[in-house]
Amino acid sequence: IVAMSESYKKIELISKAFALKNQQKYQEAIETMKSALEINVNTHENAEIHSQIGELYIIINDLDSALNEFQKALSIDGTHKYSIQKCFDIYYKKEQYQKALYLAQKICENYKNSISYLNYFKVLYKLGKKQDIIEIFNSLDEDIKLEPNILYLISLADEEKKEQILNKIVEIDDSFKPANLDLARIAFKKGDWNKLIQCCINLDDSISDVAYFLGMIEARNKNYNKAIEYLISAIKKDNNKNDYYYDLAKIYIDTTHYTEALECLNHSIKYSLINNTKENLSEKYFLSGWILYKNSEYQNALLNLNLVEKNSKFYTNAKIIIQTINLQNENLPKAKDILENMYKSHSDNSILLDALAIAYKNLKMPNKAIEIYSQALILHPESIFYRLELIDLYI
């Protein structure tokens, strides 16, 4: 009778603890569960109670206390699956990967399923044991080998077959976002726009990279307003992890929004300097200098243009503008003569055409300026700027 009474009391305390948990009164629930532990009617049941206390500690983000409870559960029942899994999760989260590895191996010994091997591969990947992952994967049953989450980890471990494995994943499940995202990144680098579009269909623009890709797709289709909208969204989501300002600046230039373009270029240059990445830095300086030159801010233009490196493909154009600015300040007719000589061998150089057209405009030679802008429009038929300049000259 006493045992039955104690057992009933223990059940009541556990029920009360669950009610408190549902009310989000987690600390009170923990104390109530601990009170139930003090009633030793069936000590084997205490493994489950310790695990429930551990779960409550996880909710309040006290991982050390949670780990302690799960270990107590395992001291009572060494095969308590839930406690083993939670110990693994905590060790993994705390980056104690060797301890997590031991538990992952133990789980796989007893439970040979996709979830067990997924945990195993996750910790092996963190420990840099990519070859081990591949070898273990090759020994698995075929049904586990076709599990998308397992395959995705294999794609991370096997760089040579990465794209092939990712394509296999989307064949199995075309909505699998990590695979679609990685394939989108690969397609973008390759310039495979059809593949990129196909991947983005299965993604949403809440991911910064996806918003960026959608923006670049819209820009390629000359839907500039939509492209700008997507890229601004990507920048907000990304928090300066990527240099999206650079491409946004080029879209603003294409649509003659030079003030906005210059602001974006300034952000992009700061990104390059902070992250010590020289890629495209000369182009950024050049484009900034070119815009400032067009705005007649010659001193600031020179500061940027002089930072273009000699090995850059923009160096020649930078020198054209620098020379134009310097000569324009001293002798505009002489500048025109030099630019005309350059035009004989560089008639397809847009920067030279711009500079020469401006020289003609300033020298009140509208017919010559029309001739040059017409040549520029043939080279860049999509340019709004050249059309506007021609309209102005004709008027």
Side-chain angles (χ1 to χ4, degrees):
I1 294 172
V2 172
M4 288 180 63
S5 176
E6 291 291 297
S7 179
Y8 181 73
K9 184 178 180 182
K10 192 168 189 173
I11 292 168
E12 276 194 326
L13 287 168
I14 293 169
S15 298
K16 181 181 177 183
F18 276 111
L20 290 166
K21 179 183 177 182
N22 291 334
Q23 296 168 30
Q24 298 183 358
K25 297 178 180 180
Y26 302 121
Q27 196 61 53
E28 292 177 48
I30 289 169
E31 296 305 320
T32 305
M33 281 284 190
K34 286 183 176 180
S35 296
L37 282 173
E38 295 173 4
I39 302 170
N40 295 317
V41 176
N42 185 345
T43 55
H44 192 74
E45 289 179 353
N46 288 351
E48 185 60 34
I49 297 173
H50 279 297
S51 74
Q52 291 297 328
I53 297 171
E55 181 64 30
L56 287 163
Y57 275 125
I58 287 176
I59 293 171
I60 63 174
N61 202 31
D62 186 348
L63 296 184
D64 290 332
S65 295
L67 185 62
N68 184 48
E69 293 299 327
F70 291 125
Q71 287 171 338
K72 286 178 181 177
L74 290 171
S75 69
I76 299 168
D77 179 2
T79 63
H80 196 270
K81 184 181 177 182
Y82 185 77
S83 294
I84 296 173
Q85 180 63 51
K86 287 300 176 180
C87 284
F88 168 86
D89 292 342
I90 293 170
Y91 283 136
Y92 187 86
K93 189 171 184 178
K94 290 165 73 68
E95 299 181 3
Q96 296 179 15
Y97 297 127
Q98 286 295 345
K99 291 181 178 179
L101 178 62
Y102 169 77
L103 290 175
Q105 290 169 327
K106 188 174 180 180
I107 293 169
C108 284
E109 286 171 9
N110 296 300
Y111 308 101
K112 297 184 183 299
N113 56 44
S114 59
I115 295 173
S116 300
Y117 281 104
L118 181 62
N119 289 332
Y120 194 8
F121 291 159
K122 276 167 56 180
V123 72
L124 283 172
Y125 183 76
K126 287 293 185 180
L127 290 168
K129 298 180 181 292
K130 294 182 180 180
Q131 193 57 41
D132 288 357
I133 295 173
I134 295 167
E135 289 174 6
I136 295 166
F137 173 78
N138 289 333
S139 70
L140 296 178
D141 293 339
E142 288 303 314
D143 60 330
I144 298 178
K145 284 183 179 180
L146 294 176
E147 210 288 319
N149 286 296
I150 294 283
L151 278 170
Y152 184 70
L153 266 168
I154 303 307
S155 78
L156 298 178
D158 194 341
E159 284 295 326
E160 289 184 7
K161 296 181 180 178
K162 183 181 182 69
E163 189 173 359
Q164 178 186 338
I165 296 166
L166 291 170
N167 281 319
K168 180 68 176 176
I169 294 169
V170 297
E171 281 178 20
I172 297 167
D173 179 3
D174 64 2
S175 67
F176 193 83
K177 289 188 177 183
N180 275 295
L181 183 56
D182 283 359
L183 283 171
R185 287 168 177 150
I186 292 168
F188 183 73
K189 285 181 181 178
K190 287 183 174 181
D192 187 344
W193 292 93
N194 289 332
K195 181 71 172 181
L196 180 62
I197 292 167
Q198 181 186 338
C199 293
C200 286
I201 289 170
N202 297 311
L203 296 165
D204 62 77
D205 62 4
S206 63
I207 304 166
S208 60
D209 269 2
V210 178
Y212 169 70
F213 294 146
L214 291 171
M216 298 308 289
I217 290 167
E218 295 293 352
R220 189 169 181 269
N221 293 329
K222 297 182 175 56
N223 299 323
Y224 294 117
N225 288 339
K226 194 67 178 173
I228 289 168
E229 183 182 323
Y230 273 128
L231 284 174
I232 290 173
S233 173
I235 288 166
K236 288 178 181 177
K237 293 177 175 68
D238 183 68
N239 197 25
N240 285 329
K241 292 176 186 173
N242 292 283
D243 188 13
Y244 298 144
Y245 278 110
Y246 174 55
D247 289 295
L248 180 56
K250 289 192 286 187
I251 293 171
Y252 277 133
I253 289 170
D254 287 343
T255 55
T256 67
H257 290 82
Y258 295 129
T259 301
E260 293 87 346
L262 191 59
E263 184 180 344
C264 287
L265 285 167
N266 287 335
H267 280 293
S268 189
I269 288 168
K270 285 178 185 176
Y271 176 90
S272 291
L273 295 175
I274 290 169
N275 293 283
N276 195 28
T277 56
K278 289 192 173 182
E279 186 183 6
N280 300 321
L281 186 55
S282 284
E283 182 177 5
K284 295 171 189 180
Y285 282 128
F286 170 74
L287 291 173
S288 298
W290 178 73
I291 293 170
L292 290 162
Y293 163 69
K294 291 182 75 66
N295 290 342
S296 301
E297 297 179 47
Y298 299 133
Q299 197 59 42
N300 287 331
L302 289 171
L303 289 173
N304 280 274
L305 294 167
N306 280 314
L307 290 170
V308 177
E309 295 186 347
K310 287 186 178 181
N311 62 353
S312 167
K313 65 180 180 180
F314 298 94
Y315 182 75
T316 300
N317 286 337
K319 290 304 173 187
I320 290 171
I321 299 177
I322 290 170
Q323 188 177 44
T324 305
I325 292 171
N326 289 336
L327 290 173
Q328 186 168 309
N329 289 335
E330 298 170 8
N331 189 334
L332 187 57
K334 185 178 178 182
K336 176 186 74 71
D337 292 342
I338 292 172
L339 292 169
E340 283 178 335
N341 284 330
M342 296 180 74
Y343 178 68
K344 291 174 185 177
S345 55
H346 295 87
S347 61
D348 60 347
N349 186 309
S350 300
I351 304 303
L352 177 58
L353 293 174
D354 264 8
L356 185 54
I358 290 170
Y360 285 140
K361 282 176 67 177
N362 290 342
L363 286 166
K364 311 299 182 189
M365 300 171 69
N367 290 334
K368 282 287 188 180
I370 288 171
E371 179 186 329
I372 296 301
Y373 277 130
S374 296
Q375 171 66 16
L377 191 59
I378 291 170
L379 294 172
H380 303 284
E382 79 287 353
S383 173
I384 297 171
F385 170 73
Y386 293 135
R387 292 179 189 277
L388 292 174
E389 288 292 332
L390 283 167
I391 290 169
D392 185 56
L393 285 164
Y394 280 126
I395 291 171

